[in-house]
Each structure stands twice: as C-alpha cells, then as structure tokens.
Amino acid sequence: MNDVAIRRLQRALTSTCPDGGPSASRLPTVATPWAGCTLSLDVDGTILWAGPTTREVLGWSPEDLAGSHISLLTPRLGGDLDEAHLSVLLADEDVATLIDVGVKRDGRSFKASISLEAERSAAGEVTGVNALVRDVTAVLTARRARDLARRTRDAVVVTDADFSIQYATRAASEMLGYAPEDVLTGPGSHLVHPADQDAVKEALGRLLADPDRIERLVARLRDKQDRWLWVEGTVTNCLADPDVGGLVANLRDVTDQVRTQDALRLSGALHQAMVETADEGIVVAGQDGTTRYANPAMARLLGIPAERLYGSDPVSLLIPGAPDGGWRQEVAYAHPDGCDRILQVTRSPLGREVADGLGSLVMVADVTERRRSERALRRRALYEPLTGLPNRYLVLDRLEMAAARQARSGGSTAVLFLDLDRFKPVNDTHGHQAGDELLRQVAARLTGAVRATDTVGRHGGDEFVIICEDLDEGAAVSVAARIHAALRAPFELTTGSVEVGGSIGVALSPPYDVDDLVRQADVAMYHAKGQGGGRSAVAHPDGAQSR
C-alpha cells in the first residue's frame, strides 16, 4: 500500500459519516428511502474501507470488501476507474453522481446510484475517492412505470397482480371523475360493479396463467358521482417487463355504445342520431347476415359506399368463416386508400324481443394507432435505439429462457462479453456521431458473425453480449474467433477509415450457473483486455484462460 493510501486509510479510521465511515461532507446523506453504503477507494479502485451497511445493501461484510477492487461491485465503473478517468469524471467538481449496474454478493444485479467525491492532495491532484453506493432499483422501476403512463393520452391504468392500482393516466382519472391520487386509493375491485366482478377476476386469472394473452372485456365502473359507466378494457400482462412491472389496461368509455344496443330495440329520432354520429361503425344484420342498416361511420371505416353495404355481409368481408354467436376480434384490413388498418370487430346477437328478421349487431372500431403505440412502447422498452439490438433487459430475458430450456433438455449455454478496443480514440478524434456510426456497423458485423438463433445485444457503451445455446467450449471459442475476424477489416465512416478490435470474455454453463454467465464473461473479458486486447479469454473456476 502506498503512502497516500496509508494516509487516506488513517483518515478513514478517524473520521465518521452517516454510516460510521470516512468523512463525506459533500456526498448525499443516506437518510433517504434508498438503501446506501459508503466506500473509500484508492485511485486504482482498491477498496480501503467499507461501511457497515454494505452487508445490507450489497451482501458483503466490510471485512470481505477491504482490499478488493471496485469492479467486484460495479464492473463498468471498476474497469474505467483510474486517476485519469476520475479527473475527467469529476472535472472541476468535487462530487459526481452516475447510474450504473451493481452486482451483489449473490450475483444479482441492481440499479446503483454512485456518488463519487474526490480526495485531493495539497497540489490538487486526485489521490482517491469516497463513494456512496445506493440501490435505486425500486425507485427507477416506479419512475419508468409512471413515465410509461404519462407517454400516452389514452386512459391507461397499471395494476399489480392483486389488482391494486399502481398508476393511472390523467385521462383515466378524468374519465371516472377522480383526482389522480384518489384512483390509487384501495383495490381496483372497489370500482367494479358487483355483477361484473366475477368476470373481471376470471379475465385476470387467465392473464396471470398466460402472460402472452390479451384480455378484452366490458364492465361497469363506478365514477366519482356514484354512476356506473360501461368501460371497455384491453388488458396486457407486463408484470415481467422491467420497465412496467404490472398489468396494463387501456380503457375506453363505451357507455354510449352499450346504450345504442338498447336504442336499436326502440324507435325515435334521438336514438337514430346517436347511432349515426358514433365514431364506431355500426351495422344491424338480418338473420342471414346481410346488412339491414349501416351508419355513416361504417362506410367511412371500410372505404365502401354506403349503398354497397346494404344486402352484403360485412362480417364475411372482414373475417371469412367467422363463427356464429357473440365475439370480439381484431383483424388486419386493407383499406381501399392503400393503408393497412387494424379493425376491432364485435358481433352481438340480438334477442328475440327485437323485431323479426334481425339477427345481430356488428360494431367496428379503428384501433390502428392504439396498437402501433403499444408496439412502439414495447419496442422502446426492449430494444436499444442506436443499434436496434436487444437491450440488457431483453438479453437477460433471453438468458432466462435459455436457462429454462437447459433445465428441461440439458445441453450448454455460452455467453460472450465483448468490449471494443481503441473505441475511445474514435470518439475523441472523429466525434461522437462517428462513434455512433461505428457502433451501428459493429452491431451489423456481430449479427452476421453468429447464427440466426443466437442473441446479440448491446450491454451499454461499447460493450456487447452474445448468447449462444448448445455450444461447448471449443465451439464458443470458434464463435469468438469469427467475431475477431469480422472486426479485423477497417470500418469506413463518413469522417474516415478506422480500425478497432475487441476483447472477448467467454463463460459457459456448465460449470457456471446460467444466471452467473454475464458476470463471469465480463470478468474474463477484463482478463483478455489485460493481456493486451484483441484476444479472448475463457472463464474457468481455476482462473481465466487466454486464447
């Protein structure tokens, strides 16, 4: 240990901070809803001292962490933490805060807020750093869910698996006449009409049993004035989505449409006007399925003159071979204007009390923009926008799927962790736009170097993760060799030609658990980079082996 480290360690043992560690007067206090712990580091990232709350936050005792490298807890930060990096990170400030991925002792990752305070010599040189590490996973997850709800003007409610409302858009609150905070009070079932609660519970049960299922149902909800509104809900199971973590229900007030069905059994100009001015297409069909009445909206939605609708069967036009009875279904429709639309078609048989000869009520709504927005939101949550590759959340999901398949059928799973060599000079010399262009080209070459069944994802920065199933060590090393070969040719950027390489860490299950492969491959990658870069290293329980 050098003299500077000894002096800093002496200060650590004689000073106190919120959890009994070194003085950190500029660091945020730990008196927040986030669990936090303090660390004292050398400029090379060695942990000199750890506060007692490290056991609660990270699972490590202070004694275990003393003398370890910070990369044990935050691999990304640990790999870059040196005096030059600290100088750039802290600039003219004494404190800097960043969000990174932390790793607990049991291998689980979490969102870490890391506040760094520089220790400086009398000459102003950085001699070390105090770090405050906080687990902000729950806070960021809740914030993302709120952002998801705020990004749409639709009436959207997010509930947990027990149907307790967690978030609601302003449109949903206004539809029911409540203040946003009032909607979150009590379980969601208190808003549902008693006669509809069984149907809602059954739909939720089907959603929880089959996460890929989409449930659509109509139920009565109580508004602020104790009136019952007929509301159509489209519910999606996003409990496993780390950016949502709940059941997402798109709500639409269909009170007028439900009343329209009653109006069709009556006569009067008022009810006729309601049907003709509705945004949804409405058709009253005879018992043979042919149109007896069609409102103007139906002709507009289908792009067909109203006179052509009469005597035709609109259901067969939209859904050939559609079943009898009542149902709701979404279909792709090629509109005559050349644009494809997504139409929601609902067929409801009319009762015997309706005039003779009438068979069913058909309603059609254009849900194209709603479905496109849902797909766009889901893609933004799962794919990295710069390269179009799966982001770290989707990579972890693919890894969990690989683990499940391996548990059922055996075999092996390999993870390759790639960090580009000489990427920083490209940013410094050619600019960040050139760096982004280079990352896109690297992503394309990586995708072309592996099998179609393999997953290539961007882990962050200039780091990529490749998941390969049913490969032994030799085959995984061959994949790494193909990647090295793919990166060897110069990259032609708009600002000129550049050459970069990559350091690759390889980890396999067995011998490691699938859940631990990314971390083990990351550690092996640093071993390869320490050997000069441009090579691969395979993680082994007895130490990484270079190739």
Side-chain angles (χ1 to χ4, degrees):
M1 184 179 297
N2 57 40
D3 292 338
V4 173
I6 292 173
R7 289 196 297 272
R8 295 188 62 251
L9 182 57
Q10 290 172 341
R11 289 199 302 274
L13 297 174
T14 58
S15 303
T16 58
C17 71
D19 65 349
S23 175
S25 58
R26 293 174 178 264
L27 292 177
T29 66
V30 188
T32 71
W34 307 334
C37 61
T38 52
L39 305 171
S40 179
L41 314 172
D42 272 338
V43 291
D44 62 356
T46 299
I47 300 174
L48 297 177
W49 181 92
T53 54
T54 54
R55 190 186 306 275
E56 174 189 348
V57 178
L58 304 172
W60 294 89
S61 68
E63 296 78 16
D64 289 338
L65 288 178
S68 301
H69 194 266
I70 187 63
S71 61
L72 181 69
L73 308 177
T74 57
R76 287 274 328 278
L77 176 63
D80 294 337
L81 189 61
D82 53 33
E83 185 172 0
H85 177 69
L86 278 173
S87 298
V88 173
L89 178 65
L90 296 167
D92 295 331
E93 302 291 335
D94 284 338
V95 176
T97 300
L98 64 153
I99 301 296
D100 200 354
V101 175
V103 179
K104 300 191 178 185
R105 184 170 189 172
D106 59 7
R108 291 181 295 120
S109 61
F110 66 99
K111 283 291 186 181
S113 170
I114 307 169
S115 298
L116 303 175
E117 179 188 32
E119 289 278 353
R120 301 182 184 274
S121 66
E125 298 177 344
V126 177
T127 59
V129 63
N130 290 327
L132 173 60
V133 181
R134 294 179 292 187
D135 184 349
V136 296
T137 304
V139 174
L140 293 183
T141 299
R143 186 178 301 162
R144 283 193 294 268
R146 288 192 297 270
D147 290 342
L148 173 67
R150 283 196 292 265
R151 282 198 292 265
T152 177
R153 294 181 180 179
D154 292 343
V156 177
V157 170
V158 180
T159 77
D160 60 17
D162 295 328
F163 201 43
S164 293
I165 300 175
Q166 303 298 311
Y167 311 102
T169 62
R170 181 173 297 277
S173 302
E174 291 176 349
M175 182 176 72
L176 298 174
Y178 292 96
E181 59 272 18
D182 292 338
V183 180
L184 307 181
T185 304
S189 57
H190 80 285
L191 298 175
V192 181
H193 193 285
D196 297 331
Q197 290 196 9
D198 287 343
V200 172
K201 290 178 181 178
E202 290 173 2
L204 292 178
R206 292 191 293 269
L207 269 177
L208 296 176
D210 182 4
D212 293 330
R213 185 184 184 94
I214 297 177
E215 283 288 333
R216 298 179 181 87
L217 67 158
V218 176
R220 284 159 288 186
L221 301 184
R222 186 197 308 273
D223 70 3
K224 181 69 172 179
Q225 300 178 13
D226 283 335
R227 298 175 304 182
W228 294 106
L229 302 181
W230 286 96
V231 175
E232 179 187 71
T234 301
V235 190
T236 306
N237 188 338
C238 295
L239 288 168
D241 189 329
D243 278 343
V244 182
L247 303 175
V248 179
N250 285 333
L251 306 180
R252 187 166 66 100
D253 185 348
V254 294
T255 304
D256 289 342
Q257 290 89 317
V258 172
R259 290 172 179 167
T260 296
Q261 297 182 36
D262 295 332
L264 290 173
R265 293 192 292 267
L266 304 173
S267 60
L270 175 61
H271 301 106
Q272 183 72 22
M274 290 175 60
V275 174
E276 292 186 353
T277 58
D279 292 332
E280 293 79 10
I282 299 175
V283 163
V284 179
Q287 293 180 353
D288 60 355
T290 59
T291 300
R292 300 294 183 86
Y293 168 81
N295 71 344
M298 179 64 79
R300 183 179 69 254
L301 287 173
L302 301 184
I304 297 175
E307 57 271 16
R308 283 183 54 192
L309 288 173
Y310 287 89
S312 65
D313 184 348
V315 173
S316 297
L317 173 66
L318 295 170
I319 310 173
D324 295 331
W327 43 261
R328 178 181 287 112
Q329 185 174 337
E330 289 186 5
V331 298
Y333 178 68
H335 197 278
D337 65 5
C339 297
D340 291 336
R341 308 286 174 82
I342 300 175
L343 301 181
Q344 185 179 84
V345 184
T346 304
R347 184 181 186 274
S348 302
L350 296 175
R352 293 182 179 180
E353 64 274 16
V354 180
D356 293 340
L358 298 183
S360 61
L361 173 70
V362 179
M363 302 181 66
V364 177
D366 188 338
V367 295
T368 307
E369 292 305 318
R370 188 190 314 169
R371 297 296 174 257
R372 287 175 179 170
S373 297
E374 290 172 358
R375 287 196 295 268
L377 281 173
R378 183 171 292 277
R379 180 166 184 84
R380 284 197 294 270
L382 297 177
Y383 289 86
E384 194 274 320
L386 177 64
T387 63
L389 294 177
N391 61 19
R392 67 179 62 193
Y393 302 112
L394 184 53
V395 166
L396 292 177
D397 180 70
R398 297 276 176 86
L399 200 55
E400 290 178 359
M401 294 171 60
R405 283 190 288 269
Q406 184 174 327
R408 289 194 305 267
S409 308
S412 61
T413 301
V415 166
L416 286 71
F417 197 106
L418 166 70
D419 183 88
L420 294 180
D421 299 328
R422 303 183 300 280
F423 176 74
K424 187 175 183 299
V426 175
N427 268 339
D428 294 344
T429 304
H430 297 266
H432 289 288
Q433 289 186 348
D436 291 346
E437 183 181 357
L438 174 59
L439 290 174
R440 285 191 289 268
Q441 292 189 27
V442 168
R445 292 194 188 183
L446 292 179
T447 303
V450 301
R451 302 171 301 181
T453 55
D454 298 332
T455 295
V456 179
R458 185 181 177 200
H459 195 66
D462 58 342
E463 295 176 339
F464 298 84
V465 172
I466 301 96
I467 301 173
C468 305
E469 297 185 50
D470 299 323
L471 293 185
D472 57 17
E473 180 176 326
V477 171
S478 296
V479 173
R482 290 202 304 272
I483 292 174
H484 284 303
L487 298 178
R488 196 167 293 128
F491 291 83
E492 300 300 330
L493 308 179
T494 55
T495 57
S497 177
V498 299
E499 294 184 4
V500 297
S503 298
I504 301 176
V506 181
L508 292 98
S509 173
Y512 297 105
D513 292 336
V514 175
D515 294 341
D516 198 32
L517 288 184
V518 174
R519 186 176 70 86
Q520 293 293 345
D522 190 13
V523 173
M525 180 275 294
Y526 279 108
H527 181 82
K529 190 172 285 288
Q531 300 298 314
R535 63 183 66 198
S536 304
V538 181
H540 285 283
D542 55 353
Q545 298 181 4
S546 298
R547 299 294 181 104

